[in-house]
């Protein structure tokens, strides 16, 4: 259902508030550079720091700016099932294409609890769901077996896998079917994920190098692995630099270097990228030819 380069969009702030004009410019730039879909209000969008109304304003703004040109996969996850349902219903009413739903964090549900959580979401709202597995952040890991069971639900259409376990691409393909949409959640593993059957990436790096990431995605889709490897190598330092300090500090700093209208402002508990991180970002931007 989804493929290609899909940025997990940062949320621009200015003087403590959501900077809607900058966000709309970011969306316009992304689409012009070849981005294939957009994800507002993911972790990279600092969603844990957004209140309900602010969260919904970001989703609405993204959908309005995209104007139907690319799909919008709205971040709707929560460790509270009722809150996730509330987010999904708003996103559906606003016109989102799908919801990105992270595994419930902090609560540490069992695998049966995961199944019950996602079934409750699917029963309450028929908006398509992209399951997000990122055990490094949530602690709760959605096993390959559980993911294949989830894929049997008609509204669960894709996975963003940031487990770092590439074997799962094959396990998901075997258990969920070769047509089940598998997206990488790790930029640095995008190439091997694609070789094994993935069709795209929900990416941090695509925030700052959307054209290069779109070119990489096109090469992978064409099975032009030689070209994909060249682009992977060109982007690799940038992939690393995006996590040289707490995300999305480095990504926001990078965008402030590329665009004079973008502020690197973040919200606590995230703080601005430190000196070493900024130096790494500057070097990576230069190496990739972005600056």
């Amino acid at each position: 259902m989804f493929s290609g380069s899909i940025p997990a969009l940062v949320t621009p702030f200015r003087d403590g508030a959501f900077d809607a004009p900058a966000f709309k410019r970011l969306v316009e730039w992304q689409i012009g550079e070849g981005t294939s879909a957009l994800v507002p209000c993911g972790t990279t969008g600092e969603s844990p720091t957004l209140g309900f109304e602010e969260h919904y304003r970001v989703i609405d703004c993204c959908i309005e700016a995209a104007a139907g040109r690319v799909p919008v996969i709205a971040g709707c996850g929560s460790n509270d099932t009722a809150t996730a349902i509330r987010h999904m219903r708003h996103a559906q009413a606003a016109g989102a294409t799908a919801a990105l739903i992270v595994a419930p964090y902090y609560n540490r549900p069992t695998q049966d609890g995961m199944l019950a959580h996602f079934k409750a979401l699917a029963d309450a709202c028929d908006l398509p769901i992209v399951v997000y597995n990122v055990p490094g952040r949530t602690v709760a890991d959605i096993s390959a077996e559980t993911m294949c069971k989830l894929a049997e639900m008609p509204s669960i259409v894709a996975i963003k896998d940031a487990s770092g376990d590439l074997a799962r691409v094959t396990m998901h393909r075997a258990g969920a079917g070769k047509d089940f949409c598998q997206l990488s959640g790790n930029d640095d593993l995008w190439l091997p994920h694609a070789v094994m059957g993935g069709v795209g990436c929900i990416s941090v790096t695509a925030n700052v190098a959307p054209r290069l990431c779109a070119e990489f995605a096109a090469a992978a889709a064409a099975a032009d692995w030689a070209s994909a490897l060249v682009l992977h190598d060109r982007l690799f330092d940038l992939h690393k630099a995006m996590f040289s300090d707490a995300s999305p500090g480095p990504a926001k700093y990078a965008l402030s270097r590329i665009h004079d209208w973008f502020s690197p402002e973040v919200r606590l508990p995230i703080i601005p990228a430190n000196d070493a991180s900024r130096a790494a970002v500057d070097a990576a931007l230069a190496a990739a030819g972005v600056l």
Side-chain angles (χ1 to χ4, degrees):
M1 186 171 184
F2 304 106
S3 62
S5 177
I6 306 171
L9 293 170
V10 298
T11 303
F13 301 122
R14 192 171 293 274
D15 299 325
F18 170 50
D19 187 348
F23 190 61
K24 290 179 180 179
R25 292 183 76 170
L26 178 64
V27 167
E28 196 64 38
W29 179 61
Q30 286 285 337
I31 294 173
E33 293 290 286
T35 284
S36 59
L38 299 164
V39 177
C41 295
T43 309
T44 308
E46 295 173 85
S47 57
T49 72
L50 302 175
F52 280 125
E53 296 311 313
E54 197 172 37
H55 187 123
Y56 299 155
R57 188 175 174 220
V58 174
I59 291 173
D60 293 350
C61 187
C62 186
I63 292 168
E64 178 184 344
R69 290 174 290 173
V70 297
V72 173
I73 307 168
C76 294
S78 174
N79 65 332
D80 169 30
T81 304
T83 294
I85 290 170
R86 174 177 173 176
H87 290 344
M88 285 181 67
R89 286 174 172 165
H90 176 90
Q92 184 174 43
T97 311
L100 180 68
I101 304 289
V102 70
Y105 42 86
Y106 189 77
N107 307 30
R108 300 183 67 182
T110 64
Q111 296 303 304
D112 285 343
M114 296 280 195
L115 289 166
H117 172 74
F118 282 100
K119 183 178 186 303
L121 301 184
D123 288 347
C125 180
D126 60 3
L127 185 66
I129 292 172
V130 178
V131 175
Y132 180 19
N133 189 35
V134 56
R137 286 186 179 271
T138 65
V139 181
D141 183 13
I142 303 173
S143 72
E145 180 182 14
T146 297
M147 188 61 238
C148 293
K149 291 178 181 176
L150 290 173
E152 295 173 3
M153 300 181 193
S155 63
I156 294 184
V157 299
I159 181 171
K160 174 188 177 183
D161 188 6
S163 69
D165 180 4
L166 287 168
R168 296 196 188 193
V169 185
T170 300
M171 296 165 74
H172 293 155
R173 196 172 66 250
K178 62 182 179 64
D179 294 327
F180 185 70
C181 178
Q182 296 197 63
L183 303 169
S184 176
N186 297 100
D187 284 284
D188 59 345
L189 297 178
W190 189 351
L191 176 57
H193 188 277
V195 170
M196 296 180 74
V199 296
C201 182
I202 296 181
S203 164
V204 177
T205 303
N207 275 284
V208 303
R211 184 171 296 277
L212 285 176
C213 288
E215 290 174 356
F216 173 87
D224 181 358
W225 302 119
S227 297
L229 182 60
V230 170
L231 287 162
H232 167 82
D233 289 346
R234 184 174 170 184
L235 285 162
F236 192 72
D237 285 349
L238 199 53
H239 295 332
K240 293 193 297 181
M242 291 300 95
F243 294 93
S244 57
D245 203 349
S247 180
K252 284 190 160 183
Y253 169 72
L255 279 166
S256 77
R257 296 278 285 116
I258 296 167
H259 299 297
D260 60 8
W261 44 263
F262 193 94
S263 167
E265 186 176 329
V266 290
R267 280 186 176 171
L268 288 171
I270 303 300
I271 59 175
N274 61 32
D275 289 346
S277 175
R278 292 197 299 271
V281 169
D282 287 339
L285 289 171
V290 177
L291 280 182

